[in-house]
Amino acid sequence: MEFVSPEGLRLDGRRPMEMRQIRAEIGAVSRADGSAVFEMGNTKVIAAVYGPREVQNRSQQINDQALVRCEYSMANFSTGDRMRKPKGDRRSTEISLVIRQTMEACILTHLMPRSQIDIFVQVLQADGGTRSACINAATLALADAGIPMCDLVTSCSAGYLNSTALLDLNYVEDSAGGPDVTVGILPKSEKVTLLQMDAKLPMDTFENVMQLAIEGCKAVATYIREVLLENTKQLEYRRGV
Amino acid sequence: MGSTNTSGDLSSEMEVDAFRRLFPLHFHERHLLESIRTDARPLGKARDTSLALGAVASANGSALAKIGCTTMLAAIKMEVMTPTTESPDEGCIVIDFHMPPICSPIVRPGRPAEAAPVVSKQLSDTILSSGMIDLKELSLVSGKAAWMAYLDIYCLDADGALFDAALLSAVAAFSHLEIPVVSLNDDGRVVVVSDEDGGKLDKEAVNKEKRKLKLSSVSFSLTCILHKNYILADPTAEEESIMETLMTVDCVALTRQRVKELQKILNEAISDMEVD
């Protein structure tokens, strides 16, 4: 099947190095300490952060840092066919672990000992790149909750089909069986916190694809910073500053 | 009484937020004495309600309902199944209500909320017993194929009056539902016809065009709280947690007014969709 036409257009009309349209909104869930909705094309994800609060399971309490917990679940109607088991299956558990480890790397946990930070992510619509959308949404939600972090974490995916490196795969391109590289970075310090890949790639091609994904992450980071600045301006305005 | 005096004395020294957290019942009662509630609503008034149809593009019918801050997302997905032998002309509706951990600080992963199965059962009973949907409309080929409609409702923000918002979003999702076109395969199995193959239809379609369900006797609800001798309509989560008695659809006069409001909002939402 052809994923890149001879004119250089993908199935949804994008160029190979073009990301899908991103949209973010802060403060969607009023009951949460911090929350955000993040959309990448048709993938829609909502993240809520509760914390820092008292540890619910005393035996898990850590005396010198905060405990970070994460849960990823997909809505029954998020994928094409209705899902039978939205959480507790292996994929959801794996993604929960991945998001937790990625966020733990940037939260300054030593500032909040003996407390717990819960990150809950719910996928409302899945069209490829849910992992990345979840990490971006979690970053915004943590910032909305005022939890101290050393840097933002942004994530993007890239693949390699028809001998072209493609940025931000959607579901059809993802299920084509080609390589799929997901990268999560700390944009200011230029450090990589998440790197996952399916299938195989020769080393030099891999470097190109990873570089493309990092460019995508930086673009997301610019957008997230704009959204946060706008949000802060609104808060200042409401306080009468 | 001793405790009222203590809180009365402290109220002049303390900040409003602190007083609200430490003595919530007194805080609310001070407002009720003036016939007003903490968010400046009169006693019988419900919060701002809004509806958006077609929130989930991948589902056959969907709606997002917001009552104040309480947010519910309902989506319907249709699948073909074989009907039972007792009712070969009827389809089936399965209703599921979920409260994911994002909606409220009291819901923890691994420990589902107490309210979830209760609201789920109430919703199921209300929708199926009210006769809003005629199951015969969901039939395709008598005895062989019928529609199974899976209605999933997700609570995205739990701020009181969960049942009202859930019922509203379910009704709206059903009114937005479009039954997809299907045709009979060579093996006699029913296959959903996608829009792209619409041109080359050699198999005859069982139902010619996407149609909407006919809804009769649509039901709406209103949750009220009784405290001492005050009746409060549409409580928030804070009010629900401190006052004991909770009733749904009890005060007939308030409900009638609310039904008119909700019917108007639903009709507006549907006419907005049809213009597009």
Side-chain angles (χ1 to χ4, degrees), chain A residues 28-31 44 46 48 50 53 56 69 71 74-80 82 84 87 120-122 124-125, chain B residues 55-58 69 73 75 77 79 96 98 100-106 108-109 150 152 154 156-159 237:
Chain A
V29 178
S30 64
R31 297 269 282 164
K44 216 182 281 197
I46 191 169
Y50 288 96
R53 56 179 176 179
Q56 279 156 353
R69 271 203 320 181
E71 199 193 58
M74 301 182 79
N76 279 338
F77 45 76
S78 56
T79 54
R82 187 173 181 267
R84 299 288 149 171
K87 53 180 168 180
F120 299 124
V121 189
Q122 179 81 27
L124 300 175
Q125 255 183 259
Chain B
V56 178
S58 53
C69 288
L73 179 62
K77 276 212 158 247
E79 272 180 22
D96 215 357
H98 307 258
I102 55 170
C103 69
S104 160
I106 22 184
R108 287 190 256 151
Y150 286 103
D152 290 300
Y154 278 80
L156 299 179
D157 198 345
D159 196 21

Side-chain angles (χ1 to χ4, degrees), chain B residues 33-229:
Chain B
L33 285 174
E34 320 272 338
S35 294
I36 205 164
R37 290 153 79 174
T38 52
D39 48 5
R41 278 189 282 158
L43 295 186
K45 191 154 187 291
R47 292 171 285 180
D48 289 335
T49 313
S50 65
L51 261 185
L53 297 180
V56 178
S58 53
N60 298 106
S62 59
L64 179 74
K66 270 186 97 145
I67 298 186
C69 288
T70 304
T71 313
M72 297 276 170
L73 179 62
I76 305 179
K77 276 212 158 247
M78 311 278 280
E79 272 180 22
V80 183
M81 59 139 197
T82 35
T84 56
T85 36
E86 296 106 45
S87 37
D89 279 322
E90 287 183 0
C92 182
I93 302 179
V94 174
I95 302 174
D96 215 357
F97 178 71
H98 307 258
M99 276 184 78
I102 55 170
C103 69
S104 160
I106 22 184
V107 178
R108 287 190 256 151
R111 177 95 79 86
E114 291 172 354
V118 173
V119 174
S120 184
K121 179 93 180 36
Q122 281 179 331
L123 209 56
S124 243
D125 290 340
T126 311
I127 293 181
L128 295 174
S129 67
S130 69
M132 183 169 71
I133 296 167
D134 187 6
L135 292 177
K136 295 209 181 354
E137 279 200 60
L138 293 177
S139 169
L140 277 171
V141 177
S142 172
K144 293 235 192 76
W147 286 116
M148 170 102 97
Y150 286 103
L151 171 65
D152 290 300
I153 305 178
Y154 278 80
C155 178
L156 299 179
D157 198 345
D159 196 21
L162 296 180
F163 181 73
D164 298 344
L167 186 58
L168 185 61
S169 66
V171 164
F174 273 116
S175 65
H176 178 250
L177 177 66
E178 275 178 359
I179 302 187
V181 184
V182 287
S183 66
L184 224 58
N185 217 345
D186 300 322
D187 325 327
R189 285 172 70 219
V190 184
V191 160
V192 177
V193 174
S194 55
D195 292 325
E196 294 129 43
D197 312 334
K200 32 188 174 112
L201 253 185
D202 17 61
K203 319 163 198 138
E204 200 194 278
V206 174
N207 48 349
K208 289 289 171 179
E209 84 239 326
K210 283 189 176 184
R211 61 183 171 90
K212 293 205 157 188
L213 278 185
K214 262 195 284 283
L215 300 177
S216 56
S217 64
V218 176
S219 44
F220 298 111
S221 75
L222 178 67
T223 308
C224 301
I225 275 192
L226 176 68
H227 180 69
K228 298 212 179 138
N229 50 351

